[in-house]
């Protein structure tokens, strides 16, 4: 398996498929690059597909830092990977936690970001409504990550019954997640406040969100409103992660958006 040893000695697992314009796919919380299987099969026919397991996830090395440094460390790993691959700039596609992280990449290193595709994500996790308060209270209960994984997997699968591909992958994510490091990343999410910074971002951006929850749509509407050159599209009958709930619609929508910019 290919690894890049970054500056602080951590091994970052990555894979590349296809040729052409580079697309970097960044996975969600506690997941790995395997969540993009439906995208690998499709996009490698048209682009150079780059995947990595963020430190603290999948086959990559440990995430051993304070909560305040999590996004900085992971964003720097991505920058180092592109430098290693001799890629000056790329389109970044991130779902959920990955969507938050690629915003961080765009803010810290805008020169390496050609285009953004932010999916089922957020730019501000502060509490500004009762609906968000209830959601964040639940998300902050990180002790639940220490419950038996089989129990958590069963609970998660019940939320994805209508989406078979997503259901199977979400079960795998729960069973294989690295509990302690997922907990640190969950806490890092709670510190995201990108609103004001994103107002200065001038990068073509596609914002995608499933229509399954009102809060999810509201949070992505906020992301889109903060980025000047952005458009928001809602995917019907979809939930986080939309790339797995509606892979065909997701693939075609993203492909069309990127192709129109080339």
């Amino acid at each position: 398996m290919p690894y890049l040893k970054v500056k602080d000695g951590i091994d970052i697992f990555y894979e590349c498929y296809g040729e052409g314009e580079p697309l970097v796919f960044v996975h969600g919380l506690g997941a790995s690059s395997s969540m993009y299987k439906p995208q690998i099969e499709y996009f490698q026919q048209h682009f150079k597909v780059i995947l990595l397991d963020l430190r603290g996830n999948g086959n990559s090395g440990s995430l051993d830092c304070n909560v305040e440094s999590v996004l900085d460390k992971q964003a720097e790993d991505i920058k180092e990977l592109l430098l290693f691959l001799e890629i000056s700039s790329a389109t970044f596609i991130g779902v959920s936690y990955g969507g938050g992280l690629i915003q961080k990449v765009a803010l810290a290193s805008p020169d390496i970001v050609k285009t953004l595709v932010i999916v089922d994500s957020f730019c501000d996790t502060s509490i500004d409504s009762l609906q968000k308060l209830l959601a964040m209270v639940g998300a902050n209960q990180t002790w639940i990550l220490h419950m038996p994984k089989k129990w958590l997997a069963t609970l998660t699968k019940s939320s994805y019954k209508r989406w078979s591909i997503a259901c199977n992958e979400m079960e795998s994510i729960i069973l294989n997640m690295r509990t302690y490091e997922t907990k640190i990343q969950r806490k890092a999410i709670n510190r995201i406040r990108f609103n004001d910074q994103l107002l200065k971002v001038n990068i073509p951006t596609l914002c995608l969100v499933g229509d399954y929850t009102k809060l999810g749509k509201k949070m992505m509407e906020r992301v889109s409103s903060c980025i000047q050159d952005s458009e928001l599209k809602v995917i019907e009958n979809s939930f986080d992660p939309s790339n797995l709930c509606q892979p065909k619609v997701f693939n075609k929508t993203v492909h069309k958006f990127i192709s129109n910019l080339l």
Side-chain angles (χ1 to χ4, degrees):
M1 293 189 291
Y3 287 91
L4 168 67
K5 189 176 290 292
V6 294
K7 291 177 182 177
D8 62 0
I10 298 297
D11 289 325
I12 301 298
F13 172 78
Y14 72 94
E15 292 181 300
C16 298
Y17 299 89
E19 298 293 337
E21 283 289 318
L23 310 183
V24 180
F25 287 84
V26 183
H27 62 76
L29 179 67
S32 72
S33 53
S34 69
M35 71 173 283
Y36 286 116
K37 288 176 184 176
Q39 283 64 58
I40 296 171
E41 296 172 4
Y42 179 87
F43 285 101
Q44 70 173 333
Q45 302 175 54
H46 312 282
F47 304 95
K48 183 179 182 69
V49 174
I50 302 164
L51 305 107
L52 74 156
D53 291 350
L54 301 172
R55 66 167 68 198
N57 300 270
N59 292 306
S60 286
S62 63
L63 177 64
D64 186 15
C65 63
N66 55 39
V67 173
E68 294 81 3
S69 302
V70 169
L71 295 177
D72 292 327
K73 290 278 190 183
Q74 292 176 331
E76 184 61 28
D77 292 341
I78 293 172
K79 184 177 180 180
E80 282 195 49
L81 177 60
L82 259 65
L83 182 63
F84 173 74
L85 296 174
E86 299 182 335
I87 295 172
S88 59
S89 63
T91 291
F92 287 82
I93 301 167
V95 176
S96 197
Y97 179 88
L101 181 55
I102 65 173
Q103 291 173 61
K104 179 66 178 180
V105 172
L107 293 170
S109 307
D111 55 308
I112 70 171
V113 182
K114 187 175 293 184
T115 314
L116 289 170
V117 179
I118 303 170
V119 188
D120 298 318
S121 194
F122 34 77
C123 63
D124 183 355
T125 54
S126 61
I127 307 301
D128 57 9
S129 68
L130 177 60
Q131 187 180 28
K132 201 169 179 181
L133 171 63
L134 295 174
M136 293 305 293
V137 166
N140 284 330
Q141 304 304 308
T142 53
W143 58 266
I144 199 171
L145 296 175
H146 294 281
M147 298 294 287
K149 287 184 178 180
K150 287 187 177 180
W151 179 83
L152 285 175
T154 300
L155 183 64
T156 301
K157 285 180 66 178
S158 67
S159 299
Y160 289 89
K161 286 181 180 179
R162 66 171 72 181
W163 305 290
S164 59
I165 295 174
C167 186
N168 291 334
E169 183 62 26
M170 293 303 293
E171 178 185 28
S172 177
I173 288 171
I174 296 298
L175 293 175
N176 292 288
M177 73 175 180
R178 291 154 60 169
T179 302
Y180 174 72
E181 289 153 308
T182 300
K183 184 176 177 180
I184 294 174
Q185 291 168 98
R186 174 64 255 182
K187 290 182 178 180
I189 289 174
N190 299 342
R191 300 176 60 85
I192 289 179
R193 307 286 188 274
F194 292 152
N195 298 31
D196 293 340
Q197 299 174 68
L198 288 176
L199 294 173
K200 301 175 183 178
V201 170
N202 190 22
I203 297 171
T205 302
L206 174 63
C207 294
L208 292 177
V209 63
D211 66 353
Y212 195 64
T213 67
K214 291 182 179 179
L215 180 60
K217 290 171 63 178
K218 183 178 179 181
M219 293 179 81
M220 279 304 298
E221 287 168 358
R222 172 70 70 87
V223 175
S224 184
S225 70
C226 289
I227 300 176
Q228 297 177 43
D229 189 7
S230 71
E231 61 177 283
L232 175 67
K233 291 186 178 295
V234 178
I235 299 178
E236 295 183 4
N237 186 29
S238 190
F239 188 30
D240 174 8
S242 286
N243 69 297
L244 293 174
C245 290
Q246 295 294 343
K248 290 183 179 179
V249 175
F250 176 91
N251 293 346
K252 290 182 179 179
T253 304
V254 172
H255 189 183
K256 181 179 179 181
F257 175 77
I258 297 171
S259 296
N260 287 341
L261 295 172
L262 295 178

